[in-house]
């Protein structure tokens, strides 16, 4: 190995040291030039920077590795790694990974109600009434009757399950054109202007081809909607007013339950009690404008029916006009009461009854869509009245 001569000390032989390294020789050269101290400072700073960069890189690497090892595993959206060569389907990103306002899910969508212009067909269900059907379609009860004369004949109690009714798109009347009418006259009968009929979209008429309104070009058999049209109710059935024990002939038109002349018997108090255990209605209130001058009390088949006041039976039996099994009481003071659609009749002609006596059982006979009591109060002076105005508060 090469050696460098060292300074000899007196009385001591010369020794040899290992050859200096490149770094040492470089530093020695810089020292001879007077740059040794500067080079030392520069080298120290450079090494410090390298150490700092190394520490930063190491911390980033360790932080990323820790995140991967502690991240929760999603079980709702598992990710599948496709083998080489297959298409990779990226998973959907959560809403929180997007920038902006996330759209909330709406479970119910409100569809705006649009007015219809054409008629609908509706099949009557058990328990339906004219009032319930009218409410379901946002119409007046009279509109249901006006649109179905051939089925109901202006009689709310002609309603039957499985009947198919015409439901007009708006309140008014329905008219079948015969081909020989004057449109001005028809419109006047229903209380509207003829233009209302011609211009209504549901009638699908072309005003340019109608021609003379006195003899319009409308095909025979065309059904016309008359918006806002009205007419009188023409009910073919209704119990006569003033059925008294001394004038039984008026009940003969009602059917086989008519009674003969009755003398004597109980007289009422002039006050009334509820004729059923239930005091709420089954869907049809007092509505003489649609031919229903009565209350339809709800209840179950076989519920007891009570005499609303003391009196005498002037009708007990079947009725031919839609009442079914019917009882009429004369109270001897100008008042009469009527009980219809019974399943059973417990009294007979001429029998005196007291207030609150059971005279029959609730049923669904005659023109009825379900068990209820059709109840009327009549007075020889005031006619048929709203029973609720004379019954005690429930």
């Amino acid at each position: 190995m090469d050696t460098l001569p060292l300074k000899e000390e007196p009385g001591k032989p010369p020794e040899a040291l290992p050859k200096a390294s490149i770094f040492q020789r470089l530093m020695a050269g810089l020292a001879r030039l007077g740059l040794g101290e500067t080079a030392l400072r520069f080298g120290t700073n450079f090494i410090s920077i390298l150490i700092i960069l190394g520490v930063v890189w190491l911390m980033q690497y360790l932080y990323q590795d820790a995140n991967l090892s502690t991240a929760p595993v999603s079980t709702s959206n598992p990710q599948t790694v496709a083998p080489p060569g297959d298409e990779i389907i990226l998973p959907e990103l959560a809403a929180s990974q997007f920038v902006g306002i996330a759209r909330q899910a709406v479970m119910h969508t409100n569809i705006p109600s649009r007015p219809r212009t054409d008629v609908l067909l509706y099949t009557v269900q058990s328990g339906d009434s004219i009032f319930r059907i009218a409410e379901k379609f946002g119409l007046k009860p009279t509109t249901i009757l006006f649109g179905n004369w051939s089925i109901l004949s202006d009689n709310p109690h002609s309603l039957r399950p499985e009947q198919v009714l015409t439901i007009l798109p708006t309140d008014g009347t329905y008219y079948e054109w015969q081909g020989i009418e004057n449109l001005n006259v028809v419109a006047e009968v229903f209380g509207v202007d003829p233009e209302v009929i011609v211009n209504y979209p549901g009638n699908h008429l072309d005003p340019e081809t109608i021609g003379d309104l006195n003899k319009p070009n409308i095909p025979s058999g065309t059904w016309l909607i008359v918006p806002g049209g009205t007419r009188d109710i023409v009910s073919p059935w209704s119990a006569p007013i003033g059925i008294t024990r001394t004038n039984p002939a008026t009940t003969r038109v009602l059917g086989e339950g008519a009674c003969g002349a009755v003398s004597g018997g109980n007289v009422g108090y002039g006050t009334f009690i509820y004729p059923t255990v239930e005091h709420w209605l089954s869907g049809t209130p007092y509505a003489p404008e649609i031919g229903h001058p009565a209350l339809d009390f709800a209840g179950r088949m076989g519920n007891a029916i009570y005499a609303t006041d003391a009196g005498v039976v002037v009708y007990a039996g079947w009725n031919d006009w839609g009442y079914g099994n019917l009882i009429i009481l004369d109270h001897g003071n100008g008042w009469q009461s009527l009980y219809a659609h019974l399943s059973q009749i417990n009294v007979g002609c001429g029998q005196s009854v007291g207030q609150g006596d059971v005279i029959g059982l609730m049923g669904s006979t005659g023109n009825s869509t379900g068990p209820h009591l059709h109840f009327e109060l009549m007075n020889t002076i005031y006619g048929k009245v709203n029973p609720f105005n004379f019954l005690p508060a429930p």
Side-chain angles (χ1 to χ4, degrees), residues 271-294:
T271 59
F272 307 97
I273 65 171
Y274 278 90
T276 69
V277 294
E278 302 289 355
H279 298 169
W280 54 282
L281 303 183
S282 65
T284 308
Y286 177 81
E289 69 275 9
I290 64 168
H292 191 261

Side-chain angles (χ1 to χ4, degrees), residues 234-247:
V234 184
S235 180
W237 68 289
S238 181
I241 299 174
I243 303 172
T244 65
R245 64 193 73 183
T246 58
N247 185 25

Side-chain angles (χ1 to χ4, degrees), residues 201-225:
N203 288 329
H204 306 288
L205 299 176
D206 185 355
E208 296 183 359
T209 62
I210 289 296
D212 186 2
L213 295 183
N214 292 320
K215 193 176 181 181
N217 183 26
I218 300 176
S220 177
T222 299
W223 280 94
L224 298 177
I225 301 167

Side-chain angles (χ1 to χ4, degrees), residues 192-210:
V192 300
D193 294 328
E195 290 76 17
V196 171
I197 301 175
V198 173
N199 295 327
Y200 188 71
N203 288 329
H204 306 288
L205 299 176
D206 185 355
E208 296 183 359
T209 62
I210 289 296

Side-chain angles (χ1 to χ4, degrees), residues 40-390:
L40 182 61
R41 290 178 180 177
F42 176 80
T44 301
N45 292 337
F46 180 77
I47 293 173
S48 299
I49 293 173
L50 290 178
I51 293 173
I52 293 173
L53 293 175
V55 171
V56 171
W57 176 85
L58 181 61
M59 292 300 294
Q60 290 180 342
Y61 176 82
L62 294 176
Y63 180 78
Q64 291 178 354
D65 185 67
N67 283 345
L68 292 175
S69 61
T70 59
V73 179
S74 174
T75 58
S76 60
N77 292 305
Q79 300 181 15
T80 303
V81 178
D86 290 351
E87 181 182 0
I88 298 177
I89 301 176
L90 296 178
E92 295 183 4
L93 296 177
S96 60
Q97 294 175 266
F98 290 97
V99 178
I101 301 175
R103 184 176 182 178
Q104 296 181 348
V106 180
M107 301 305 294
H108 174 72
T109 301
N110 290 322
I111 300 176
S113 177
R114 298 180 179 87
R116 60 184 176 91
T117 57
D118 293 317
V119 299
L120 297 177
L121 297 180
Y122 174 75
T123 301
V124 178
Q125 308 296 313
S126 178
D128 269 342
S129 69
I130 295 296
F131 276 81
R132 286 179 179 173
I133 296 173
E135 183 180 5
K136 183 179 298 184
F137 292 97
L139 300 171
K140 295 178 180 178
T142 50
T143 300
I144 305 300
L145 292 178
F146 293 160
N148 297 278
W149 164 259
S150 62
I151 298 175
L152 302 178
S153 300
D154 280 359
N155 175 12
H157 283 273
S158 294
L159 205 64
R160 291 283 192 281
E162 305 305 322
Q163 288 174 334
V164 179
L165 302 183
T166 297
I167 307 298
L168 300 184
T170 185
D171 282 316
T173 58
Y174 206 32
Y175 180 75
E176 184 179 11
W177 190 258
Q178 304 299 312
I180 57 175
E181 301 95 318
N182 182 324
L183 187 58
N184 288 309
V185 174
V186 171
E188 183 180 358
V189 168
F190 293 124
V192 300
D193 294 328
E195 290 76 17
V196 171
I197 301 175
V198 173
N199 295 327
Y200 188 71
N203 288 329
H204 306 288
L205 299 176
D206 185 355
E208 296 183 359
T209 62
I210 289 296
D212 186 2
L213 295 183
N214 292 320
K215 193 176 181 181
N217 183 26
I218 300 176
S220 177
T222 299
W223 280 94
L224 298 177
I225 301 167
V226 185
T230 187
R231 60 172 175 77
D232 293 333
I233 293 290
V234 184
S235 180
W237 68 289
S238 181
I241 299 174
I243 303 172
T244 65
R245 64 193 73 183
T246 58
N247 185 25
T250 55
T251 65
R252 293 176 184 171
V253 298
L254 298 180
E256 61 188 37
C259 299
V262 178
S263 60
N266 290 347
V267 175
Y269 305 105
T271 59
F272 307 97
I273 65 171
Y274 278 90
T276 69
V277 294
E278 302 289 355
H279 298 169
W280 54 282
L281 303 183
S282 65
T284 308
Y286 177 81
E289 69 275 9
I290 64 168
H292 191 261
L295 297 177
D296 281 354
F297 284 107
R300 296 183 178 181
M301 184 74 71
N303 279 2
I305 303 300
Y306 308 111
T308 191
D309 197 4
V312 172
V313 178
V314 294
Y315 191 102
W318 185 259
N319 167 261
D320 295 332
W321 292 7
Y323 286 112
N325 288 325
L326 173 68
I327 296 173
I328 299 177
L329 302 180
D330 173 49
H331 302 289
N333 53 9
W335 286 99
Q336 300 86 39
S337 56
L338 180 149
Y339 315 77
H341 306 310
L342 306 179
S343 63
Q344 179 177 307
I345 295 175
N346 294 0
V347 294
C349 282
Q351 181 177 339
S352 288
V353 297
Q355 188 179 57
D357 285 353
V358 176
I359 59 176
L361 302 179
M362 181 173 289
S364 186
T365 56
N367 293 339
S368 171
T369 60
H372 69 282
L373 172 67
H374 175 98
F375 177 68
E376 297 182 17
L377 270 182
M378 301 167 285
N379 185 277
T380 53
I381 297 176
Y382 306 115
K384 296 186 178 184
V385 299
N386 186 346
F388 269 151
N389 293 336
F390 298 88

